[in-house]
Amino acid sequence: MSDYTLVTPWRWETYGAGPQFTPYSRLAGKPITGGTFSGTINPFITDIPRGYSLLVTGTTVEEIQTPNQDDLAAASYYFLGGHEYVVSQAQATVLINAGYSAYLTVIP
């Protein structure tokens, strides 16, 4: 049995330049006031990659963007977004069964 490398999921997300994150500020791929697809883009909006954490409880995997300490404490184990991990065959099996096989690579 081999170990696997897990790279946690991520997505491009658009944020306004304001001080607080809001999940409703998602604008990627849509035209915005003051910008065009081929011209200048509004300088107050930018796309950034945002990591998603995987929280595993038994055989259930929950994908969550901003886990808090209680979420992490309640999980059997977790993989924080934006990181690469070496996972065991047993952990990989749980992730594969939950639909996350695309994020795993067998270590030869």
Side-chain angles (χ1 to χ4, degrees), residues 22-44:
T22 171
Y24 303 106
S25 63
R26 180 78 176 98
L27 298 170
K30 297 180 183 176
I32 56 175
T33 302
T36 66
F37 286 115
S38 60
T40 59
I41 299 296
N42 183 328
F44 300 105

Side-chain angles (χ1 to χ4, degrees), residues 8-15 26 28 46-54 63-65 81-82 100 103:
T8 55
W10 63 276
R11 292 177 187 83
W12 284 105
E13 295 189 356
T14 304
Y15 298 92
R26 180 78 176 98
T46 184
D47 271 0
I48 60 171
R50 178 77 177 194
Y52 281 74
S53 299
L54 300 177
E63 185 176 315
I64 185 167
Q65 187 174 34
Y100 291 94
Y103 301 99

Side-chain angles (χ1 to χ4, degrees), residues 16 23 34-35 57 59 71 83 86 104:
T57 305
T59 59
D71 295 330
H83 297 278
V86 173
L104 294 164

